[in-house]
Amino acid sequence: MCEVAMEEQERDISDIDPQECSSVMENGVMLVVNQSRVRAPLSVVLATVLYCAEFVTAAVLCSYYQKTEDVIWMGFTIAFMLVPAVLIQLTLTFIHRDLGRDRPLVLFLHLLLLGPVIRCVEALVVYYKAGRKEEPYVTISRKISLKKGHGTPMEWEIGQSERTLATHRNAFKRTAVIQAFLGSTPQLTLQLYATIQEKYFILPARLTLMIITLISVIYGALVCSVLAIQIRYDDYKVRLRPVAYLCMIVWRGLEIATRVTALVLFSTALTHWVILVGMANLLFFFFLPWAEFWARKGSLTQDVEKNFSKLGTIVVLSMFTLLYACINVFCWSAVQLDLTHRELIERKQHWGRLAMYYCGRFVENFVLIALWYYHKSDFYEYVCAPLLAVQLLICYSLAVLFMLLFYQFCHPCRRLFKYNVHDCLHCVCCLKKRRGPRGGGQKLPPSYSTAATMVLVPDEPLELLNPQNGERETAIIEDMTDAA
């Protein structure tokens, strides 16, 4: 047996039965002797296909705009095509650390904006070569598979191929988020606005680009949600059921589609005011992490990159904050930034911030749709404007509903929530009853969701866990207040 280069300790949360090849019990640990099965890099291929398809379709549409001398549409389309492409090349180069390596061909392809293509080819080559010859493992992975509250410790070997593919997957997850919210979302908004301004004259290339960008945005939001779970619960290896993915797709799709449509409709009625709305949203979410950083009087994390100067660290953090702001302009980012933390992510689940965001966004969308309704032009006389407005509000409400369903029933780590959605809603209702004339003498019914959750803090008093004790509701309300 070869030497172990490093050891990783993780705990695996899954509603799926763990797959093992051959195992023996030793000191209470289930040892999986064989190396972990190498999984196909499907996420790498999908991200590359979306990148290439959007880039090529946008280039074709720009050629049409050039022929028709639509300089404004062409300029914005090129900008939303090139800016994310350049940032993706920089991200891939930074993650793989190619600047300090002798790889001129790879760097040249990055200059040609073909970095994702060569990275995808490298990942496929590694995948097809894996398993053909025995290779030494570089990692022993220890995980606990938690199924219905019962944990089973497991341990297996991770080979060099699987580790290399994991690096590619992590890199393309970041690029998918960049592509979605710095390129695809502005591109979708622009093309939808252009379609309405040109009296619904739908070009085949424009329609194709809108469909591709919508798929890219939904995929990027999906990746963002999964990344948020993985970062917050980095001690666990998260596996999601297909129903969880379906719930997230519907949640994110309705949320983003409603947000983009509301902004576009508002911009057709009050064109110049939409710039103020967009900039106000962007600047608020950009400076919010920095304001919290200054309020805490913390110091910048030094773990972004050891070779960076303080100015370089500030630049990287500013770009990261810009991406965070762009995500929150269109949908919930699922994470809160903490610039003092090593991983830049605050791990605590803030239900108060989640509620504040969706309540505020619903009110903002309602105001935008109402202003469009009262200032719409005669172009919409053949459109049932009241029905369209109601449909948009219902779609956003459905997005919130699917979000709640995901956190309550489909979240892979829901058993580790100290409080879940049902508990928070239950306590808000109980608080209202207490303020009533006869609320103080009533006993509270037990919460069915309590049995499905496991408290992260094991040394918490048992009285706080009793659903019939009034102190539990008080603790939840105080926790929500602190999070807000």
Side-chain angles (χ1 to χ4, degrees), residues 214 218 247-261 330 365 391-392 394-402:
L214 181 60
I218 294 176
C247 189
M248 281 197 295
I249 289 174
V250 177
W251 158 30
R252 292 302 197 177
L254 290 175
E255 180 183 7
I256 295 172
T258 305
R259 176 62 175 169
V260 170
T261 306
F330 294 96
N365 288 339
Q391 286 176 341
L392 290 175
I394 291 177
C395 286
Y396 198 81
S397 302
L398 288 176
V400 176
L401 175 62
F402 276 96

PDB file of all heavy atoms in Angstrom, residues 214 218 247-261 330 365 391-392 394-402:
ATOM      1  N   LEU A 214     -31.601  31.871 -20.298  1.00  0.00           N
ATOM      2  CA  LEU A 214     -32.507  31.470 -19.222  1.00  0.00           C
ATOM      3  C   LEU A 214     -32.058  30.146 -18.596  1.00  0.00           C
ATOM      4  O   LEU A 214     -32.043  29.993 -17.363  1.00  0.00           O
ATOM      5  CB  LEU A 214     -33.936  31.354 -19.753  1.00  0.00           C
ATOM      6  CG  LEU A 214     -35.002  30.965 -18.720  1.00  0.00           C
ATOM      7  CD1 LEU A 214     -35.066  31.982 -17.595  1.00  0.00           C
ATOM      8  CD2 LEU A 214     -36.362  30.810 -19.392  1.00  0.00           C
ATOM      9  N   ILE A 218     -30.758  29.709 -14.672  1.00  0.00           N
ATOM     10  CA  ILE A 218     -31.337  28.730 -13.748  1.00  0.00           C
ATOM     11  C   ILE A 218     -30.264  27.764 -13.261  1.00  0.00           C
ATOM     12  O   ILE A 218     -30.200  27.425 -12.065  1.00  0.00           O
ATOM     13  CB  ILE A 218     -32.495  27.980 -14.433  1.00  0.00           C
ATOM     14  CG1 ILE A 218     -33.648  28.950 -14.729  1.00  0.00           C
ATOM     15  CG2 ILE A 218     -32.990  26.844 -13.550  1.00  0.00           C
ATOM     16  CD1 ILE A 218     -34.799  28.313 -15.485  1.00  0.00           C
ATOM     17  N   CYS A 247     -37.349  20.834  -7.074  1.00  0.00           N
ATOM     18  CA  CYS A 247     -37.915  21.925  -6.274  1.00  0.00           C
ATOM     19  C   CYS A 247     -37.077  23.190  -6.426  1.00  0.00           C
ATOM     20  O   CYS A 247     -37.625  24.297  -6.559  1.00  0.00           O
ATOM     21  CB  CYS A 247     -37.981  21.484  -4.813  1.00  0.00           C
ATOM     22  SG  CYS A 247     -38.895  22.601  -3.732  1.00  0.00           S
ATOM     23  N   MET A 248     -35.751  23.056  -6.421  1.00  0.00           N
ATOM     24  CA  MET A 248     -34.887  24.224  -6.576  1.00  0.00           C
ATOM     25  C   MET A 248     -35.007  24.831  -7.965  1.00  0.00           C
ATOM     26  O   MET A 248     -34.956  26.060  -8.124  1.00  0.00           O
ATOM     27  CB  MET A 248     -33.437  23.836  -6.288  1.00  0.00           C
ATOM     28  CG  MET A 248     -33.093  23.742  -4.827  1.00  0.00           C
ATOM     29  SD  MET A 248     -31.307  23.757  -4.534  1.00  0.00           S
ATOM     30  CE  MET A 248     -30.838  22.235  -5.329  1.00  0.00           C
ATOM     31  N   ILE A 249     -35.154  23.997  -8.994  1.00  0.00           N
ATOM     32  CA  ILE A 249     -35.288  24.514 -10.361  1.00  0.00           C
ATOM     33  C   ILE A 249     -36.558  25.348 -10.492  1.00  0.00           C
ATOM     34  O   ILE A 249     -36.549  26.451 -11.071  1.00  0.00           O
ATOM     35  CB  ILE A 249     -35.275  23.350 -11.359  1.00  0.00           C
ATOM     36  CG1 ILE A 249     -33.876  22.743 -11.453  1.00  0.00           C
ATOM     37  CG2 ILE A 249     -35.724  23.819 -12.745  1.00  0.00           C
ATOM     38  CD1 ILE A 249     -33.803  21.488 -12.300  1.00  0.00           C
ATOM     39  N   VAL A 250     -37.668  24.839  -9.961  1.00  0.00           N
ATOM     40  CA  VAL A 250     -38.928  25.602 -10.021  1.00  0.00           C
ATOM     41  C   VAL A 250     -38.817  26.879  -9.201  1.00  0.00           C
ATOM     42  O   VAL A 250     -39.245  27.964  -9.645  1.00  0.00           O
ATOM     43  CB  VAL A 250     -40.092  24.728  -9.523  1.00  0.00           C
ATOM     44  CG1 VAL A 250     -41.390  25.531  -9.511  1.00  0.00           C
ATOM     45  CG2 VAL A 250     -40.240  23.495 -10.397  1.00  0.00           C
ATOM     46  N   TRP A 251     -38.243  26.774  -8.014  1.00  0.00           N
ATOM     47  CA  TRP A 251     -38.069  27.946  -7.137  1.00  0.00           C
ATOM     48  C   TRP A 251     -37.225  29.012  -7.834  1.00  0.00           C
ATOM     49  O   TRP A 251     -37.647  30.179  -7.956  1.00  0.00           O
ATOM     50  CB  TRP A 251     -37.441  27.474  -5.833  1.00  0.00           C
ATOM     51  CG  TRP A 251     -36.733  28.520  -5.025  1.00  0.00           C
ATOM     52  CD1 TRP A 251     -37.023  29.849  -4.956  1.00  0.00           C
ATOM     53  CD2 TRP A 251     -35.600  28.318  -4.158  1.00  0.00           C
ATOM     54  NE1 TRP A 251     -36.135  30.496  -4.103  1.00  0.00           N
ATOM     55  CE2 TRP A 251     -35.267  29.581  -3.611  1.00  0.00           C
ATOM     56  CE3 TRP A 251     -34.856  27.196  -3.789  1.00  0.00           C
ATOM     57  CZ2 TRP A 251     -34.198  29.736  -2.720  1.00  0.00           C
ATOM     58  CZ3 TRP A 251     -33.810  27.360  -2.898  1.00  0.00           C
ATOM     59  CH2 TRP A 251     -33.488  28.619  -2.373  1.00  0.00           C
ATOM     60  N   ARG A 252     -36.060  28.644  -8.307  1.00  0.00           N
ATOM     61  CA  ARG A 252     -35.165  29.616  -8.928  1.00  0.00           C
ATOM     62  C   ARG A 252     -35.693  30.113 -10.266  1.00  0.00           C
ATOM     63  O   ARG A 252     -35.557  31.292 -10.613  1.00  0.00           O
ATOM     64  CB  ARG A 252     -33.782  28.999  -9.114  1.00  0.00           C
ATOM     65  CG  ARG A 252     -33.045  28.718  -7.807  1.00  0.00           C
ATOM     66  CD  ARG A 252     -32.888  29.988  -7.000  1.00  0.00           C
ATOM     67  NE  ARG A 252     -31.877  29.861  -5.958  1.00  0.00           N
ATOM     68  CZ  ARG A 252     -31.514  30.847  -5.165  1.00  0.00           C
ATOM     69  NH1 ARG A 252     -32.089  32.028  -5.271  1.00  0.00           N
ATOM     70  NH2 ARG A 252     -30.585  30.667  -4.237  1.00  0.00           N
ATOM     71  N   GLY A 253     -36.294  29.209 -11.050  1.00  0.00           N
ATOM     72  CA  GLY A 253     -36.822  29.630 -12.343  1.00  0.00           C
ATOM     73  C   GLY A 253     -37.919  30.668 -12.220  1.00  0.00           C
ATOM     74  O   GLY A 253     -37.911  31.696 -12.917  1.00  0.00           O
ATOM     75  N   LEU A 254     -38.884  30.428 -11.327  1.00  0.00           N
ATOM     76  CA  LEU A 254     -39.966  31.391 -11.134  1.00  0.00           C
ATOM     77  C   LEU A 254     -39.451  32.701 -10.544  1.00  0.00           C
ATOM     78  O   LEU A 254     -39.892  33.794 -10.945  1.00  0.00           O
ATOM     79  CB  LEU A 254     -41.032  30.790 -10.214  1.00  0.00           C
ATOM     80  CG  LEU A 254     -41.860  29.644 -10.793  1.00  0.00           C
ATOM     81  CD1 LEU A 254     -42.774  29.068  -9.727  1.00  0.00           C
ATOM     82  CD2 LEU A 254     -42.672  30.109 -11.989  1.00  0.00           C
ATOM     83  N   GLU A 255     -38.528  32.598  -9.612  1.00  0.00           N
ATOM     84  CA  GLU A 255     -37.998  33.807  -8.975  1.00  0.00           C
ATOM     85  C   GLU A 255     -37.284  34.704  -9.976  1.00  0.00           C
ATOM     86  O   GLU A 255     -37.534  35.923 -10.043  1.00  0.00           O
ATOM     87  CB  GLU A 255     -37.046  33.406  -7.850  1.00  0.00           C
ATOM     88  CG  GLU A 255     -36.421  34.576  -7.113  1.00  0.00           C
ATOM     89  CD  GLU A 255     -35.429  34.145  -6.055  1.00  0.00           C
ATOM     90  OE1 GLU A 255     -35.133  32.933  -5.984  1.00  0.00           O
ATOM     91  OE2 GLU A 255     -34.939  35.006  -5.301  1.00  0.00           O
ATOM     92  N   ILE A 256     -36.404  34.125 -10.774  1.00  0.00           N
ATOM     93  CA  ILE A 256     -35.614  34.926 -11.722  1.00  0.00           C
ATOM     94  C   ILE A 256     -36.474  35.415 -12.870  1.00  0.00           C
ATOM     95  O   ILE A 256     -36.359  36.577 -13.303  1.00  0.00           O
ATOM     96  CB  ILE A 256     -34.422  34.097 -12.228  1.00  0.00           C
ATOM     97  CG1 ILE A 256     -33.470  33.800 -11.070  1.00  0.00           C
ATOM     98  CG2 ILE A 256     -33.687  34.814 -13.346  1.00  0.00           C
ATOM     99  CD1 ILE A 256     -32.365  32.843 -11.421  1.00  0.00           C
ATOM    100  N   ALA A 257     -37.351  34.555 -13.401  1.00  0.00           N
ATOM    101  CA  ALA A 257     -38.202  34.965 -14.522  1.00  0.00           C
ATOM    102  C   ALA A 257     -39.114  36.125 -14.119  1.00  0.00           C
ATOM    103  O   ALA A 257     -39.297  37.086 -14.890  1.00  0.00           O
ATOM    104  CB  ALA A 257     -39.026  33.774 -15.006  1.00  0.00           C
ATOM    105  N   THR A 258     -39.679  36.048 -12.919  1.00  0.00           N
ATOM    106  CA  THR A 258     -40.544  37.136 -12.452  1.00  0.00           C
ATOM    107  C   THR A 258     -39.760  38.421 -12.243  1.00  0.00           C
ATOM    108  O   THR A 258     -40.223  39.514 -12.631  1.00  0.00           O
ATOM    109  CB  THR A 258     -41.222  36.729 -11.134  1.00  0.00           C
ATOM    110  OG1 THR A 258     -41.908  35.494 -11.319  1.00  0.00           O
ATOM    111  CG2 THR A 258     -42.212  37.786 -10.696  1.00  0.00           C
ATOM    112  N   ARG A 259     -38.573  38.314 -11.683  1.00  0.00           N
ATOM    113  CA  ARG A 259     -37.756  39.497 -11.425  1.00  0.00           C
ATOM    114  C   ARG A 259     -37.344  40.172 -12.730  1.00  0.00           C
ATOM    115  O   ARG A 259     -37.454  41.398 -12.878  1.00  0.00           O
ATOM    116  CB  ARG A 259     -36.517  39.092 -10.628  1.00  0.00           C
ATOM    117  CG  ARG A 259     -35.532  40.212 -10.361  1.00  0.00           C
ATOM    118  CD  ARG A 259     -36.147  41.310  -9.525  1.00  0.00           C
ATOM    119  NE  ARG A 259     -35.172  42.315  -9.174  1.00  0.00           N
ATOM    120  CZ  ARG A 259     -35.471  43.482  -8.629  1.00  0.00           C
ATOM    121  NH1 ARG A 259     -36.731  43.785  -8.368  1.00  0.00           N
ATOM    122  NH2 ARG A 259     -34.527  44.350  -8.322  1.00  0.00           N
ATOM    123  N   VAL A 260     -36.884  39.395 -13.692  1.00  0.00           N
ATOM    124  CA  VAL A 260     -36.458  39.959 -14.974  1.00  0.00           C
ATOM    125  C   VAL A 260     -37.641  40.594 -15.703  1.00  0.00           C
ATOM    126  O   VAL A 260     -37.529  41.701 -16.254  1.00  0.00           O
ATOM    127  CB  VAL A 260     -35.802  38.872 -15.843  1.00  0.00           C
ATOM    128  CG1 VAL A 260     -35.578  39.370 -17.269  1.00  0.00           C
ATOM    129  CG2 VAL A 260     -34.479  38.426 -15.236  1.00  0.00           C
ATOM    130  N   THR A 261     -38.787  39.918 -15.706  1.00  0.00           N
ATOM    131  CA  THR A 261     -39.968  40.463 -16.381  1.00  0.00           C
ATOM    132  C   THR A 261     -40.430  41.763 -15.733  1.00  0.00           C
ATOM    133  O   THR A 261     -40.797  42.723 -16.433  1.00  0.00           O
ATOM    134  CB  THR A 261     -41.103  39.434 -16.354  1.00  0.00           C
ATOM    135  OG1 THR A 261     -40.644  38.199 -16.909  1.00  0.00           O
ATOM    136  CG2 THR A 261     -42.294  39.918 -17.160  1.00  0.00           C
ATOM    137  N   PHE A 330     -31.034  39.881  -8.593  1.00  0.00           N
ATOM    138  CA  PHE A 330     -32.017  39.080  -9.315  1.00  0.00           C
ATOM    139  C   PHE A 330     -32.602  37.945  -8.486  1.00  0.00           C
ATOM    140  O   PHE A 330     -33.718  37.508  -8.755  1.00  0.00           O
ATOM    141  CB  PHE A 330     -31.387  38.503 -10.587  1.00  0.00           C
ATOM    142  CG  PHE A 330     -31.027  39.545 -11.600  1.00  0.00           C
ATOM    143  CD1 PHE A 330     -29.742  40.048 -11.669  1.00  0.00           C
ATOM    144  CD2 PHE A 330     -31.977  40.042 -12.475  1.00  0.00           C
ATOM    145  CE1 PHE A 330     -29.404  41.014 -12.598  1.00  0.00           C
ATOM    146  CE2 PHE A 330     -31.655  41.010 -13.405  1.00  0.00           C
ATOM    147  CZ  PHE A 330     -30.363  41.506 -13.474  1.00  0.00           C
ATOM    148  N   ASN A 365     -41.082  44.325  -6.340  1.00  0.00           N
ATOM    149  CA  ASN A 365     -41.681  43.865  -7.594  1.00  0.00           C
ATOM    150  C   ASN A 365     -43.108  44.376  -7.751  1.00  0.00           C
ATOM    151  O   ASN A 365     -43.541  44.752  -8.856  1.00  0.00           O
ATOM    152  CB  ASN A 365     -41.667  42.339  -7.660  1.00  0.00           C
ATOM    153  CG  ASN A 365     -40.271  41.783  -7.873  1.00  0.00           C
ATOM    154  OD1 ASN A 365     -39.375  42.472  -8.354  1.00  0.00           O
ATOM    155  ND2 ASN A 365     -40.069  40.535  -7.502  1.00  0.00           N
ATOM    156  N   GLN A 391     -50.509  37.644 -12.603  1.00  0.00           N
ATOM    157  CA  GLN A 391     -49.733  36.435 -12.892  1.00  0.00           C
ATOM    158  C   GLN A 391     -48.298  36.557 -12.386  1.00  0.00           C
ATOM    159  O   GLN A 391     -47.739  35.593 -11.842  1.00  0.00           O
ATOM    160  CB  GLN A 391     -49.741  36.159 -14.391  1.00  0.00           C
ATOM    161  CG  GLN A 391     -51.066  35.620 -14.906  1.00  0.00           C
ATOM    162  CD  GLN A 391     -51.059  35.444 -16.424  1.00  0.00           C
ATOM    163  OE1 GLN A 391     -50.229  36.024 -17.132  1.00  0.00           O
ATOM    164  NE2 GLN A 391     -51.978  34.643 -16.920  1.00  0.00           N
ATOM    165  N   LEU A 392     -47.698  37.723 -12.559  1.00  0.00           N
ATOM    166  CA  LEU A 392     -46.328  37.917 -12.083  1.00  0.00           C
ATOM    167  C   LEU A 392     -46.246  37.810 -10.565  1.00  0.00           C
ATOM    168  O   LEU A 392     -45.326  37.186 -10.023  1.00  0.00           O
ATOM    169  CB  LEU A 392     -45.800  39.272 -12.553  1.00  0.00           C
ATOM    170  CG  LEU A 392     -45.530  39.404 -14.052  1.00  0.00           C
ATOM    171  CD1 LEU A 392     -45.119  40.834 -14.404  1.00  0.00           C
ATOM    172  CD2 LEU A 392     -44.449  38.436 -14.499  1.00  0.00           C
ATOM    173  N   ILE A 394     -48.325  36.191  -8.616  1.00  0.00           N
ATOM    174  CA  ILE A 394     -48.593  34.798  -8.244  1.00  0.00           C
ATOM    175  C   ILE A 394     -47.353  33.937  -8.485  1.00  0.00           C
ATOM    176  O   ILE A 394     -47.011  33.069  -7.661  1.00  0.00           O
ATOM    177  CB  ILE A 394     -49.808  34.257  -9.027  1.00  0.00           C
ATOM    178  CG1 ILE A 394     -51.095  34.944  -8.554  1.00  0.00           C
ATOM    179  CG2 ILE A 394     -49.929  32.748  -8.861  1.00  0.00           C
ATOM    180  CD1 ILE A 394     -52.331  34.518  -9.332  1.00  0.00           C
ATOM    181  N   CYS A 395     -46.658  34.180  -9.596  1.00  0.00           N
ATOM    182  CA  CYS A 395     -45.443  33.411  -9.882  1.00  0.00           C
ATOM    183  C   CYS A 395     -44.377  33.639  -8.819  1.00  0.00           C
ATOM    184  O   CYS A 395     -43.696  32.687  -8.396  1.00  0.00           O
ATOM    185  CB  CYS A 395     -44.909  33.785 -11.266  1.00  0.00           C
ATOM    186  SG  CYS A 395     -45.869  33.120 -12.635  1.00  0.00           S
ATOM    187  N   TYR A 396     -44.229  34.881  -8.372  1.00  0.00           N
ATOM    188  CA  TYR A 396     -43.237  35.130  -7.328  1.00  0.00           C
ATOM    189  C   TYR A 396     -43.663  34.492  -6.011  1.00  0.00           C
ATOM    190  O   TYR A 396     -42.823  33.983  -5.260  1.00  0.00           O
ATOM    191  CB  TYR A 396     -43.027  36.628  -7.140  1.00  0.00           C
ATOM    192  CG  TYR A 396     -41.741  36.954  -6.421  1.00  0.00           C
ATOM    193  CD1 TYR A 396     -40.536  36.974  -7.101  1.00  0.00           C
ATOM    194  CD2 TYR A 396     -41.723  37.221  -5.055  1.00  0.00           C
ATOM    195  CE1 TYR A 396     -39.347  37.249  -6.447  1.00  0.00           C
ATOM    196  CE2 TYR A 396     -40.542  37.496  -4.389  1.00  0.00           C
ATOM    197  CZ  TYR A 396     -39.350  37.510  -5.096  1.00  0.00           C
ATOM    198  OH  TYR A 396     -38.186  37.767  -4.444  1.00  0.00           O
ATOM    199  N   SER A 397     -44.958  34.513  -5.729  1.00  0.00           N
ATOM    200  CA  SER A 397     -45.450  33.848  -4.517  1.00  0.00           C
ATOM    201  C   SER A 397     -45.212  32.342  -4.589  1.00  0.00           C
ATOM    202  O   SER A 397     -44.857  31.709  -3.587  1.00  0.00           O
ATOM    203  CB  SER A 397     -46.939  34.142  -4.325  1.00  0.00           C
ATOM    204  OG  SER A 397     -47.177  35.536  -4.231  1.00  0.00           O
ATOM    205  N   LEU A 398     -45.386  31.762  -5.777  1.00  0.00           N
ATOM    206  CA  LEU A 398     -45.103  30.335  -5.941  1.00  0.00           C
ATOM    207  C   LEU A 398     -43.620  30.041  -5.754  1.00  0.00           C
ATOM    208  O   LEU A 398     -43.243  28.988  -5.208  1.00  0.00           O
ATOM    209  CB  LEU A 398     -45.563  29.867  -7.323  1.00  0.00           C
ATOM    210  CG  LEU A 398     -47.075  29.768  -7.538  1.00  0.00           C
ATOM    211  CD1 LEU A 398     -47.380  29.394  -8.985  1.00  0.00           C
ATOM    212  CD2 LEU A 398     -47.687  28.740  -6.594  1.00  0.00           C
ATOM    213  N   ALA A 399     -42.768  30.964  -6.204  1.00  0.00           N
ATOM    214  CA  ALA A 399     -41.330  30.789  -5.993  1.00  0.00           C
ATOM    215  C   ALA A 399     -41.002  30.747  -4.499  1.00  0.00           C
ATOM    216  O   ALA A 399     -40.212  29.899  -4.043  1.00  0.00           O
ATOM    217  CB  ALA A 399     -40.558  31.922  -6.681  1.00  0.00           C
ATOM    218  N   VAL A 400     -41.612  31.643  -3.733  1.00  0.00           N
ATOM    219  CA  VAL A 400     -41.406  31.645  -2.277  1.00  0.00           C
ATOM    220  C   VAL A 400     -41.936  30.351  -1.668  1.00  0.00           C
ATOM    221  O   VAL A 400     -41.315  29.765  -0.763  1.00  0.00           O
ATOM    222  CB  VAL A 400     -42.075  32.867  -1.637  1.00  0.00           C
ATOM    223  CG1 VAL A 400     -41.947  32.827  -0.125  1.00  0.00           C
ATOM    224  CG2 VAL A 400     -41.465  34.153  -2.184  1.00  0.00           C
ATOM    225  N   LEU A 401     -43.075  29.873  -2.166  1.00  0.00           N
ATOM    226  CA  LEU A 401     -43.650  28.632  -1.650  1.00  0.00           C
ATOM    227  C   LEU A 401     -42.716  27.445  -1.893  1.00  0.00           C
ATOM    228  O   LEU A 401     -42.478  26.626  -0.981  1.00  0.00           O
ATOM    229  CB  LEU A 401     -45.006  28.383  -2.307  1.00  0.00           C
ATOM    230  CG  LEU A 401     -45.683  27.054  -1.947  1.00  0.00           C
ATOM    231  CD1 LEU A 401     -45.979  26.978  -0.454  1.00  0.00           C
ATOM    232  CD2 LEU A 401     -46.963  26.874  -2.761  1.00  0.00           C
ATOM    233  N   PHE A 402     -42.161  27.334  -3.087  1.00  0.00           N
ATOM    234  CA  PHE A 402     -41.248  26.235  -3.383  1.00  0.00           C
ATOM    235  C   PHE A 402     -39.947  26.375  -2.596  1.00  0.00           C
ATOM    236  O   PHE A 402     -39.322  25.368  -2.244  1.00  0.00           O
ATOM    237  CB  PHE A 402     -40.964  26.176  -4.882  1.00  0.00           C
ATOM    238  CG  PHE A 402     -41.999  25.423  -5.662  1.00  0.00           C
ATOM    239  CD1 PHE A 402     -43.040  26.089  -6.290  1.00  0.00           C
ATOM    240  CD2 PHE A 402     -41.942  24.046  -5.761  1.00  0.00           C
ATOM    241  CE1 PHE A 402     -44.002  25.404  -7.006  1.00  0.00           C
ATOM    242  CE2 PHE A 402     -42.899  23.340  -6.471  1.00  0.00           C
ATOM    243  CZ  PHE A 402     -43.945  24.022  -7.099  1.00  0.00           C
TER     244      PHE A 402
END
